[in-house]
Amino acid sequence: MTEFARLDALHTGDVPCPPAWTLYAITPTEVEFWEASVDRVHHRVAYRRDTPHTDWRHELLWP
């Protein structure tokens, strides 16, 4: 039995976290990707959304 299968059978559903840990949920509303190019014509694309459960919009920032 693999370790994943053992833990999956032991903890059905969510795996409990240790009491000393603090969990954070990050829900982004904006993400930017930057692709470098040797000729210095880099590509930047931004993806944005107004609220966490709406569709993403994208725009080309550069060039």
Side-chain angles (χ1 to χ4, degrees), residues 16-30:
C17 89
W21 288 13
T22 301
L23 298 177
Y24 296 95
I26 298 174
T27 306
T29 56
E30 182 174 341

Side-chain angles (χ1 to χ4, degrees), residues 2 4 7 12-13 16 19-20 22 26 30 32 35 40 50 61-62:
T2 66
F4 178 80
L7 290 172
T12 57
T22 301
I26 298 174
E30 182 174 341
E32 182 177 325
E35 181 182 355
R40 297 182 54 96
D50 298 325
L61 299 175
W62 187 261

Side-chain angles (χ1 to χ4, degrees), residues 1-11 15:
M1 176 180 277
T2 66
E3 184 66 9
F4 178 80
R6 184 185 74 78
L7 290 172
D8 190 41
L10 182 64
H11 303 287
V15 176

Side-chain angles (χ1 to χ4, degrees), residues 27-48:
T27 306
T29 56
E30 182 174 341
V31 178
E32 182 177 325
F33 293 98
W34 181 76
E35 181 182 355
S37 179
V38 292
D39 61 0
R40 297 182 54 96
V41 181
H42 312 304
H43 288 94
R44 289 176 55 214
V45 179
Y47 290 85
R48 296 184 176 99

